[in-house]
Amino acid sequence: MVYPYVMKLALLCFCAIAAAAQTLTPVKQAALDEVGTLEPTIREISTSLWKLSETALRERKSSELLARLLEREGFRVERGVSGMPTAFIATYGSGKPIIGILAEYDALPGVGNEAVPKKAPRADGVSSGHGCGHNLFAAGSVGAAIAILRAMESQELPGTLRLYGTPAEETVVGKVYLAKYGVFDDLDACLEWHPSDETKVDNQTGRALNNFEVEFFGQAAHASADPWNGRSALDAVEMMDYGVNMMREHVKPTTRIHYVIPNGGDAPNVVPEYAKVWYYVRDVDRPSVEKWYAWIQKIAAGAAMATRTDYKVFLITGVHEYNLNRPLQEALQKNLSFVGAPHFTDTEQVFGRKLQEFLKIKQIGFRDEVKPLADKPGPVEGGSTDVAEVSYITPTAGFNVTTAAADVPWHSWATTACHGTSAGEKGATVAAKVLALTGIDLFTDAALREQAEAFFEKKTGGKPYECPIPRDQQPPPPKQ
Ligand SMILES: [Zn+2]
C-alpha cells in the first residue's frame, strides 16, 4: 500500500512509539548489532543461492555453502541428516534451553529469470529460480543464527542453538522426513520466517495435505489389430480422475484436490500398459485429509476393477495444518514492530512499479509497513507447509517479511526477479534481526518458554506427534 506523505509521517511516529515500547537488554542489543555486522554476509548468501537456484533435494552446493559458513563460525554441523544428503543440523552450545531456527534453500523448476523488472530468462541458461525466495530464507535464518551465537559467546549465555538446514520444502518433503527422524523432539521452541509481499506474523493455519501417486498396470496390445488383448492403464487413470471429479460435488468448500498425469502412454497405436496420476488432496485439518484420501483410494480401486488393471498407491508425503502458538506469535510481533518493515529506496520502488506495470497490475511498489497481529487466526488461505510438522512437535511460530513487489504472482519468474535484488536482501536482513531478537528472548525469558509450552500442551492435549508417512519410508529421490 502507498501512503500519502502525511500518513507516512504518522506511521513513522507510530513506529517510533513501538520502538520505544521495548528497551533492549544488553544481550538483545549485542545480537542486533551482530546482524548489522553480518549484513554483507546475508547479502552474499542471498546472491550466491539465487545464482545456484538448486531445486528440491539437489541443493548440494547451497547446503554446503551454508554448512561451511556455520562451521567457520563455531557451529558443529551434522550433514546428510535423515537420509537426505542436503539436510544438515548446525549446533552451538550445550544444555537447556534448546532453541531451533529453520532455514530453507531449494528453488523452483522453470521460474528462472534475470533480476530485472520484466520476463527475461537467465542468460546463463539456468531455468530454475528462487520464486519462493528460499535464498533469502536461508540468508536471513543463517545470519540470525550466527548473530545469536556471537551474542551467546560474548554475553556468556547458556543453552543450545540449532540451525536446521531443511531441504526440499517445495516438494513438502524435507521437514516431514526430518520430523519422522526425531530431530526436533528435544527443542524448547522453534522459529521460522518466509519471504512475502507483506510484513506480518503468520496467523493462519494453511492446509493439511497428502501428496501421492497412483500407478496402474495393464497389458499392451496393438490398439487397432488386437485391442481385445489389451488392458489400458490410461483408461484406469481417466476413470479414476472422472470418479474424483464426481466426488468434488460432495466435499467441503475448504477441500482442494488437484492432479497431473505424468505418464499416460507413449503412442496412440499402443494400448498403454502403464500410466500414472499424481494427486494432492488438502483440507483445513489432518482428519479431513485422511477422510478424503481414503475415499480417493477407493475410487482408484474401482477404476482398476472396471478396467481390469492392477494399481498401486504411494503416499510421497503428507503434512498437518500449522499449529499456531500465540505466546510466540506475540513475541515475534513485538520484535517485528521494533525492527520495522524494510525501508526501500526510490530505485527499489521504481523496480517494483516497473515490474507491476509489466504484469499489468496496480503499480504500488513494495509494501513497507508492519501489519498488526489480529486477536484471532485469520481464515485459511494459500497452500501447505512442512513447517507444520515441526509445530506439532515443539512450540513454533513464524513471520513474513516483504521481499517482493506487492501482488506479483508468487512462485513465478516475477518473484524470482525480486528475490535477486537489493530489495529482497533487505527483507532477509529484517528477518535476521527479528529472529535474532526473538531467539534471544527464548534463551533468556523462561516465562515466555513456559507460556509457549503451556499453550502448546493445551492445543495438542499432550498427544504425541504422528508423522503422516509410514515410519520405515525413506525420502523420495529428487524429481527429474
Ligand atoms: Zn517457500
Side-chain angles (χ1 to χ4, degrees):
M1 208 175 290
V2 173
Y3 290 97
Y5 185 64
V6 177
M7 267 191 78
K8 245 185 186 167
L9 268 184
L11 273 173
L12 281 173
C13 293
F14 174 77
C15 289
I17 292 162
Q22 184 178 187
T23 312
L24 291 187
T25 58
V27 62
K28 282 182 88 169
Q29 188 62 55
L32 193 62
D33 292 346
E34 289 297 348
V35 177
T37 314
L38 285 160
E39 272 187 43
T41 310
I42 293 170
R43 283 200 293 273
E44 226 175 277
I45 302 172
S46 305
T47 310
S48 302
L49 264 51
W50 189 87
K51 282 184 184 156
L52 287 168
S53 282
E54 296 172 306
T55 55
L57 298 176
R58 297 184 189 281
E59 321 92 331
R60 286 181 185 271
K61 287 180 185 162
S62 305
S63 63
E64 190 50 32
L65 182 151
L66 300 169
R68 276 207 195 143
L69 176 64
L70 289 157
E71 265 172 346
R72 277 206 302 276
E73 287 289 331
F75 283 91
R76 307 182 294 278
V77 178
E78 189 191 343
R79 292 169 168 82
V81 184
S82 75
M84 290 180 287
T86 53
F88 68 88
I89 302 174
T91 307
Y92 172 77
S94 61
K96 285 273 186 183
I98 310 175
I99 307 302
I101 296 177
L102 304 177
E104 296 173 5
Y105 31 81
D106 58 327
L108 288 156
V111 299
N113 207 71
E114 292 290 351
V116 295
K118 62 178 184 180
K119 193 169 186 343
R122 275 170 62 161
D124 61 7
V126 175
S127 60
S128 51
H130 274 292
C132 206
H134 294 180
N135 60 318
L136 306 172
F137 192 151
S141 293
V142 167
I146 296 172
I148 296 172
L149 173 147
R150 290 182 183 175
M152 286 173 85
E153 260 177 358
S154 69
Q155 308 290 310
E156 295 178 2
L157 201 64
T160 306
L161 171 65
R162 285 213 199 110
L163 184 286
Y164 290 89
T166 68
E169 196 284 328
E170 295 300 355
T171 50
V172 207
V173 162
K175 292 176 209 69
V176 180
Y177 285 85
L178 284 165
K180 187 160 73 75
Y181 203 66
V183 302
F184 305 111
D185 290 359
D186 59 351
L187 284 179
D188 288 292
C190 195
L191 299 173
E192 50 97 14
W193 79 285
H194 200 286
S196 177
D197 70 343
E198 42 188 20
T199 303
K200 62 176 186 190
V201 169
D202 285 338
N203 198 22
Q204 61 94 25
T205 61
R207 286 185 168 85
L209 155 94
N210 268 5
N211 166 353
F212 60 101
E213 291 173 343
V214 184
E215 292 174 295
F216 289 95
F217 307 90
Q219 171 63 54
H222 193 298
S224 179
D226 65 336
W228 46 86
N229 283 329
R231 297 286 175 263
S232 172
L234 177 61
D235 284 356
V237 163
E238 289 189 62
M239 189 160 257
M240 175 180 171
D241 293 346
Y242 186 71
V244 171
N245 289 330
M246 292 291 100
M247 169 191 171
R248 279 183 204 281
E249 187 185 348
H250 310 289
V251 297
K252 293 282 175 65
T254 50
T255 316
R256 299 285 183 275
I257 311 173
H258 18 269
Y259 62 85
V260 291
I261 305 174
N263 299 80
D266 300 312
N269 61 347
V270 180
V271 172
E273 67 175 357
Y274 176 76
K276 180 162 80 177
V277 59
W278 180 17
Y279 268 89
Y280 281 14
V281 57
R282 312 190 205 218
D283 213 322
V284 291
D285 54 32
R286 217 36 247 148
S288 303
V289 164
E290 274 158 20
K291 184 173 73 180
W292 308 133
Y293 180 55
W295 187 349
I296 294 171
Q297 286 183 89
K298 282 196 171 159
I299 294 173
M305 197 186 290
T307 53
R308 301 178 71 190
T309 55
D310 294 321
Y311 79 108
K312 203 161 77 184
V313 180
F314 176 58
L315 179 63
I316 301 167
T317 188
V319 292
H320 290 73
E321 73 285 7
Y322 205 123
N323 180 24
L324 299 170
N325 189 289
R326 187 73 194 181
L328 289 188
Q329 287 176 289
E330 286 173 5
L332 281 174
Q333 182 71 25
K334 196 174 159 197
N335 291 317
L336 187 57
S337 303
F338 178 81
V339 173
H343 296 297
F344 299 104
T345 61
D346 288 348
T347 314
E348 287 162 348
Q349 290 292 15
V350 166
F351 177 97
R353 288 198 291 272
K354 273 191 180 166
L355 187 64
Q356 288 154 342
E357 186 185 2
F358 186 87
L359 286 159
K360 298 187 175 62
I361 58 174
K362 223 169 166 191
Q363 293 164 45
I364 54 172
F366 290 81
R367 291 193 180 97
D368 57 1
E369 74 276 16
V370 176
K371 280 182 113 179
L373 175 64
D375 292 341
K376 295 233 155 48
V380 172
E381 55 185 47
S384 313
T385 171
D386 64 2
V387 176
E389 300 316 284
V390 186
S391 75
Y392 280 91
I393 300 170
T394 188
T396 304
F399 60 100
N400 296 308
V401 182
T402 303
T403 56
D407 305 324
V408 300
W410 205 256
H411 277 199
S412 77
W413 62 265
T415 35
T416 297
C418 294
H419 295 150
T421 68
S422 60
E425 288 163 9
K426 277 186 182 167
T429 302
V430 163
K433 288 178 180 170
V434 177
L435 287 171
L437 291 175
T438 317
I440 297 293
D441 281 339
L442 283 166
F443 276 108
T444 54
D445 186 349
L448 173 61
R449 293 197 302 272
E450 277 159 24
Q451 285 159 14
E453 180 62 26
F455 192 91
F456 176 86
E457 287 297 324
K458 200 173 163 204
K459 272 185 84 184
T460 58
K463 202 171 151 256
Y465 167 71
E466 246 181 77
C467 190
I469 49 173
R471 183 153 280 282
D472 55 353
Q473 188 167 306
Q474 292 303 305
K479 283 269 167 208
Q480 289 311 306

